[in-house]
Amino acid sequence: MLDAVGWVGDADLKGKRLLEPCCGDGSFLRLAVDRLLVWARREANLDEGTLGDAITAFEFDRVTAEAARTAVKGRLEQAGIASDTARRLALRWVRTEDFLLATGLGTFSHVVGNPPYMRWSKLPPRLKTQYEAAIDPVAAKGDICLAFIWRCAGLIDDLGVIALLCADRWLRCAYGEQARAELAKSLRIAAFFEAHDLPVFVGKREVSAYAGVTILDRERESGATVVRPDSLGALSAALRNWRTAAKSKQPQKAPSLRGDGSAILADDDTHRLLSALAEGYPILADAGVGVRCGVALGHAKTFLVGADAEIEPQRLLPYIRSDDLNEDGSTSASRMLVNPWDCDGRLVDLARWPRLEKHLTASREVLAARACVSGRQDWYRTIDRLPADRPAGRIFVAGMARRSRVALSRPDEVPGNAIYVLSTQSWPPAALYAMLRSGLLDLHAAGLASTFAGGTKRFDGTFLRQVRLPLWSMVSRKLQQRLVGLDTSVPVRRPQLLADVFRLKSARARRALDRTLNIETENGS
């Protein structure tokens, strides 16, 4: 990463400043100091005045910060710098301070680091309040990693380069949309190195979010595409060689910081394919397909029961979770939903349903304490009202899966809030279902979906609302008949069918489609 941003000993580092916003005990910092010293020795200039402003690193834990200073001081002394000077430089370079709240920093030519990843909602209340006062509201949300990226972006000079090892969710999730749109006004993604399956962290550290190295700079021309190394050595080599390679080859279409959707993080051919679909076809909503999240309950222990529960059968409905979507596209409800709503969307009169009343009353105290309860009369509600319209032809999509899992629902089934529901007034449900079973979602997920440990992808509302689909009227009569009559009982990816529906003529696009779906099938098998 230091090579990628150009912080190397054989470069001209005179007047350059490196920022490490979260140095820990000095994983980046130690190597950055070594490279600075190589340059300084070559220039025969190891004095404190020359080196003093070259590095600024932050660590708010005092013990960890002191460990970083000790490591830095040792390296300086090994280079022949007097102990007192080394101590002063280490103290100056490593600041025991919160980077997000620090002021008067000036600008930097190089930024490297591994920002912390923590959900914004998990921050201690006092710290959260301080951050929200200091950070632009577009970046004070989602997770703290976004706030670090935002601050780093605001501190680089006109030629500055940022390389951060962090989860790529901020490039895809809805919480990052506004920040991406603002950052795109002055920054580009110069390169993205996917490190999802690589041991990039020291020891056995495990993280739930997949990591990648994102390089940002202020150039406006297209840059390099996404790189997906297959080993730690290949990742190191790709980063080491990136700057030279980027200057020597023809610029390719790079992932962009988009505020209207996820960055497309894919190889060049897949990027071109998805970009072509985005330019030529409408999103699901504009093609007549609605996207809605399943029902949130508020206290699953009360509202989910077995089929043999002592509750009036009329007050029970099949409840579908992700695990209830079968490979053949059918559903098998493993739990029943206790339904407190009538067909008009009003809470039922418990006096008319004595067994339901007995069941709910047993949990009244905990149900009444929930935030969704507005008064004494609605203590037994679920968070969401059950939708009165549950037409046939709805399609359930598992929100988290290694590859897309979809099923046709029955009218009486209620999806859980880890399920997304597609409904259509324009496409025949059977035809839309055939497209989904053929790999429509997996194609888009290859570049747009957030990925997690184990290869799991997020097929959530943010992702689904970016999926492209032709208008039904744009599909030829022959293809319409083929889609409606397709055997969807086996989850087979059909790149040829998708290519025909999207009218993909070029061999390059068809190869990208075929390769993408084959990869998705292998990874999800």
Side-chain angles (χ1 to χ4, degrees):
M1 289 172 63
L2 289 164
D3 288 337
V5 299
W7 189 267
V8 291
D10 58 1
D12 181 9
L13 298 182
K14 182 178 180 180
K16 304 300 183 183
R17 299 185 69 213
L18 180 134
L19 168 67
E20 219 292 32
C22 38
C23 72
D25 61 3
S27 295
F28 287 94
L29 184 60
R30 290 191 293 268
L31 295 178
V33 170
D34 290 345
R35 289 159 182 236
L36 178 65
L37 291 173
V38 169
W39 167 80
R41 278 195 294 264
R42 190 180 73 242
E43 297 295 316
N45 194 344
L46 290 171
D47 66 272
E48 186 174 352
T50 300
L51 301 178
D53 204 34
I55 293 175
T56 301
F58 288 87
E59 172 53 50
F60 64 32
D61 180 75
R62 294 186 180 279
V63 174
T64 306
E66 192 55 41
R69 289 192 192 97
T70 300
V72 166
K73 180 174 178 291
R75 273 171 155 73
L76 291 170
E77 290 174 340
Q78 290 173 11
I81 295 176
S83 180
D84 284 349
T85 302
R87 179 182 58 79
R88 287 194 299 271
L89 283 172
L91 190 62
R92 183 171 176 180
W93 285 349
V94 182
R95 297 172 57 160
T96 307
E97 192 175 348
D98 190 327
F99 169 66
L100 294 182
L101 302 177
T103 58
L105 301 181
T107 59
F108 297 86
S109 55
H110 304 75
V111 180
V112 292
N114 169 217
Y117 192 90
M118 177 186 290
R119 295 295 298 170
W120 199 263
S121 59
K122 300 294 185 182
L123 289 170
R126 185 176 178 182
L127 190 59
K128 181 180 177 182
T129 299
Q130 289 180 295
Y131 286 164
E132 288 173 342
I135 303 295
D136 191 294
V138 302
K141 62 174 69 174
D143 63 78
I144 196 174
C145 175
L146 181 60
F148 271 78
I149 294 166
W150 180 269
R151 279 228 71 190
C152 290
L155 290 170
I156 61 170
D157 58 31
D158 290 343
L159 299 178
V161 185
I162 301 170
L164 297 175
L165 172 65
C166 57
D168 59 23
R169 291 185 200 172
W170 75 279
L171 291 168
R172 303 181 187 271
C173 291
Y175 69 74
E177 285 185 356
Q178 289 179 293
R180 292 195 299 267
E182 288 300 313
L183 290 172
K185 295 175 181 178
S186 60
L187 289 173
R188 67 162 183 167
I189 301 177
F192 178 81
F193 298 82
E194 186 178 281
H196 288 179
D197 297 310
L198 305 181
V200 294
F201 299 110
V202 175
K204 298 182 178 180
R205 177 181 169 191
E206 295 183 358
V207 294
S208 61
Y210 272 177
V213 178
T214 304
I215 298 181
L216 303 165
D217 64 27
R218 295 205 186 280
E219 293 186 26
R220 304 311 297 166
E221 296 181 2
S222 296
T225 58
V226 171
V227 180
R228 285 195 166 102
D230 57 6
S231 69
L232 202 57
L235 173 61
S236 296
L239 283 164
R240 186 177 303 115
N241 298 327
W242 170 74
R243 181 160 289 278
T244 301
K247 292 179 179 178
S248 63
K249 71 178 182 180
Q250 288 293 323
Q252 297 176 321
K253 197 165 187 178
S256 58
L257 286 166
R258 301 167 60 212
D260 58 347
S262 302
I264 301 176
L265 302 180
D267 62 80
D268 189 51
D269 285 347
T270 303
H271 187 285
R272 289 175 183 272
L273 173 56
L274 292 176
S275 296
L277 296 185
E279 293 169 5
Y281 294 94
I283 58 175
L284 289 180
D286 293 338
V289 178
V291 177
R292 185 167 63 187
C293 186
V295 175
L297 302 180
H299 195 254
K301 288 184 178 180
T302 297
F303 291 110
L304 296 182
V305 298
D308 58 350
E310 294 186 2
I311 299 172
E312 291 84 357
Q314 302 94 318
R315 301 266 45 95
L316 297 177
L317 291 170
Y319 183 81
I320 304 300
R321 300 179 292 188
S322 294
D323 290 344
D324 299 329
L325 305 185
N326 301 322
E327 280 295 300
D328 63 0
S330 64
T331 55
S332 302
S334 56
R335 304 291 285 170
M336 301 297 286
L337 171 66
V338 177
N339 179 17
W341 304 96
D342 65 20
C343 59
D344 295 321
R346 296 174 300 192
L347 288 169
V348 299
D349 181 358
L350 292 181
R352 295 184 54 200
W353 306 96
R355 285 187 284 174
L356 172 66
E357 181 178 30
K358 180 180 179 181
H359 174 79
L360 293 174
T361 301
S363 303
R364 178 164 184 163
E365 183 176 351
V366 65
L367 293 178
R370 297 171 301 157
C372 65
V373 173
S374 60
R376 296 181 61 186
Q377 304 304 314
D378 66 346
W379 61 269
Y380 54 98
R381 63 167 296 150
T382 52
I383 291 177
D384 294 334
R385 295 176 187 269
L386 265 62
D389 56 326
R390 297 195 296 273
R394 293 176 304 157
I395 300 172
F396 289 170
V397 178
M400 298 285 286
R402 293 190 65 184
R403 62 174 180 170
S404 62
R405 296 175 59 201
V406 299
L408 277 172
S409 74
R410 298 195 303 268
D412 62 336
E413 292 176 331
V414 177
N417 65 350
I419 296 284
Y420 288 82
V421 184
L422 304 186
S423 56
T424 172
Q425 298 297 322
S426 54
W427 274 67
L432 176 60
Y433 184 59
M435 288 288 288
L436 298 173
R437 294 284 279 181
S438 297
L440 177 67
L441 299 184
D442 297 301
L443 166 61
H444 287 80
L448 297 173
S450 297
T451 308
F452 299 79
T456 299
K457 292 184 175 64
R458 176 174 280 168
F459 296 89
D460 62 358
T462 299
F463 163 76
L464 292 171
R465 293 183 184 98
Q466 299 178 71
V467 171
R468 301 288 168 160
L469 185 72
L471 299 175
W472 181 241
S473 60
M474 296 172 63
V475 182
S476 69
R477 180 64 60 87
K478 183 177 180 180
L479 271 176
Q480 287 181 350
Q481 293 172 347
R482 182 178 167 193
L483 286 166
V484 171
L486 192 69
D487 178 8
T488 53
S489 60
V490 179
V492 178
R493 296 325 188 226
R494 300 177 177 89
Q496 184 61 53
L497 175 62
L498 295 183
D500 291 344
V501 171
F502 282 110
R503 302 177 184 177
L504 300 178
K505 302 299 184 183
S506 76
R508 183 176 186 176
R510 286 176 174 257
R511 284 196 302 270
L513 175 58
D514 185 63
R515 184 179 66 253
T516 299
L517 293 186
N518 283 337
I519 290 172
E520 290 300 324
T521 301
E522 292 167 6
N523 289 344
S525 61

